[in-house]
Amino acid sequence: MYAQLLIDLFKYLAPFLRNVELNKPMQILYKGTLRVLLVLLHDFPEFLCDYHYGFCDVIPPNCIQLRNLILSAFPRNMRLPDPFTPNLKVDMLSEINIAPRILTNFTGVMPSQFKKDLDSYLKTRSPVTFLSELRSNLQVSNEPGNRYNIQLINALVLYVGTQAIAHIHNKGSTPSMSTITHSAHMDIFQNLAVDLDTEGRYLFLNAIANQLRYPNSHTHYFSCTMLYLFAEANTEAIQEQITRVLLERLIVNRPHPWGLLITFIELIKNPAFKFWSHDFVHCAPEIEKLFQSVAQCCMGQKQAQQVMEGTGAS
């Protein structure tokens, strides 16, 4: 009941936040909402963990900090590994094999025929038209800013991800950069990354970033997926947009979700991604300084300098 009341509050605030039209009463209501979330984060973090999906589903995409407060929650009995630990082996953490609780019926928004075709494609890669028709199934209008069914994109991403994790576990393996590839699940994600326009891709990548939370099987899988999409992108525009989605969540005030930090640190630190060699990192001096500043916050000044120099970025 309390979760539903919060969802109703977010829905009420949504049009004002989306259009950044906050008169004095709305500013007071928004600040009050932030304070409620801070109390929940401090005293009842499991509540935010359990209902994160339903909350993020109705919070407008531009409300970065509001979402970060929710996604930063982690169970009180868990000790978060320090994401800034050099050579932290995420795949060795025992928690990454445990699925988080999600107390939201996220598949309920899927039309029955769409869900049927999706399940069929995940099992048999047919009907073959599923991928080519996916964009039109997600699109609801031609009006910029309201082109896509955000709830359906969010549901699709989480459902495909959970099915992928189960598929990998059934083969006796665990998600990694090598095991998530060459599957119907990754076909869908790569198709969305390539086929969607800028607006749609931003919503799709945000749906992935919403699962980068505390150490659990979803965080690990979606972190690998985000990095894989970056590595396999056929244009720099996709890589730039992945970077934007991660970066905009890191340059706001703390707290920052653990999985978000882990993913961004891996992206800028691992030479396999050649992050510092991309043009969009050096497109303007203030942008370059921003990346260097975030890198230093994420890794410490000395390590960040070594990484940037090692890839010819300084």
Side-chain angles (χ1 to χ4, degrees):
M1 183 60 76
Y2 193 76
Q4 187 57 54
L5 287 169
L6 268 183
I7 287 171
D8 290 341
L9 172 61
F10 294 142
K11 282 181 176 177
Y12 177 73
L13 280 169
F16 301 99
L17 295 171
R18 191 181 295 112
N19 300 318
V20 201
E21 292 174 359
L22 294 178
N23 55 24
K24 194 71 178 170
M26 280 302 146
Q27 287 176 24
I28 293 169
L29 184 58
Y30 176 66
K31 282 182 182 174
T33 304
L34 286 180
R35 287 179 176 180
V36 168
L37 285 176
L38 283 167
V39 170
L40 291 171
L41 181 62
H42 186 268
D43 292 346
F44 306 98
E46 290 88 354
F47 171 78
L48 293 180
C49 292
D50 289 347
Y51 290 100
H52 89 286
Y53 180 89
F55 298 151
C56 291
D57 211 29
V58 294
I59 292 174
N62 61 324
C63 298
I64 313 290
Q65 191 171 34
L66 203 58
R67 232 177 8 250
N68 270 2
L69 279 176
I70 293 164
L71 299 178
S72 295
F74 61 92
R76 276 171 295 186
N77 62 0
M78 178 182 283
R79 287 195 64 182
L80 279 190
D82 185 353
F84 307 120
T85 306
N87 305 317
L88 175 66
K89 301 291 184 193
V90 175
D91 53 350
M92 302 299 286
L93 300 173
S94 59
E95 295 92 343
I96 65 148
N97 293 312
I98 302 169
R101 254 190 350 174
I102 297 181
L103 300 182
T104 306
N105 176 22
F106 57 89
T107 60
V109 300
M110 291 184 180
S112 57
Q113 188 57 48
F114 178 82
K115 172 82 162 43
K116 191 176 169 186
D117 290 345
L118 172 59
D119 284 334
S120 172
Y121 187 84
L122 291 176
K123 287 188 178 74
T124 64
R125 279 193 162 114
S126 67
V128 289
T129 54
F130 180 77
L131 288 185
S132 59
E133 293 172 355
L134 192 50
R135 176 174 171 171
S136 59
N137 280 323
L138 298 174
Q139 196 165 338
V140 289
S141 79
N142 290 315
E143 184 189 341
N146 292 302
R147 243 179 220 137
Y148 291 93
N149 182 337
I150 299 177
Q151 279 72 34
L152 186 53
I153 291 176
N154 289 341
L156 173 68
V157 167
L158 184 55
Y159 183 71
V160 172
T162 54
Q163 296 298 304
I165 294 166
H167 177 70
I168 292 166
H169 284 167
N170 287 341
K171 294 199 294 186
S173 192
T174 55
S176 68
M177 288 288 283
S178 56
T179 59
I180 64 173
T181 61
H182 310 305
S183 66
H185 313 83
M186 191 51 69
D187 286 353
I188 291 173
F189 287 155
Q190 287 190 284
N191 176 267
L192 290 170
V194 173
D195 194 39
L196 290 173
D197 59 13
T198 307
E199 181 186 331
R201 192 185 305 124
Y202 178 71
L203 297 171
F204 160 60
L205 294 172
N206 260 316
I208 293 177
N210 286 346
Q211 308 312 320
L212 303 177
R213 303 189 290 148
Y214 62 91
N216 61 58
S217 61
H218 291 188
T219 294
H220 184 50
Y221 172 81
F222 283 108
S223 178
C224 292
T225 297
M226 191 75 97
L227 294 169
Y228 181 78
L229 291 174
F230 186 95
E232 295 296 312
N234 58 359
T235 68
E236 196 166 75
I238 296 173
Q239 294 171 319
E240 184 174 354
Q241 206 164 12
I242 290 171
T243 304
R244 179 217 163 151
V245 165
L246 295 174
L247 190 70
E248 70 182 3
R249 293 175 181 232
L250 288 170
I251 58 177
V252 298
N253 289 333
R254 287 181 288 187
H256 301 125
W258 181 86
L260 186 73
L261 285 165
I262 286 292
T263 306
F264 191 72
I265 291 169
E266 182 66 15
L267 180 63
I268 63 178
K269 192 167 78 171
N270 190 331
F273 299 113
K274 302 176 182 169
F275 179 82
W276 297 100
S277 65
H278 289 291
D279 290 340
F280 61 80
V281 178
H282 312 287
C283 62
E286 59 271 24
I287 296 292
E288 197 165 355
K289 277 183 184 162
L290 176 65
F291 278 116
Q292 290 170 2
S293 169
V294 174
Q296 285 167 10
C297 287
C298 286
M299 297 189 290
Q301 191 161 357
K302 188 175 179 185
Q303 193 183 4
Q305 196 62 36
Q306 288 170 347
V307 168
M308 289 185 283
E309 285 174 358
T311 50
S314 64

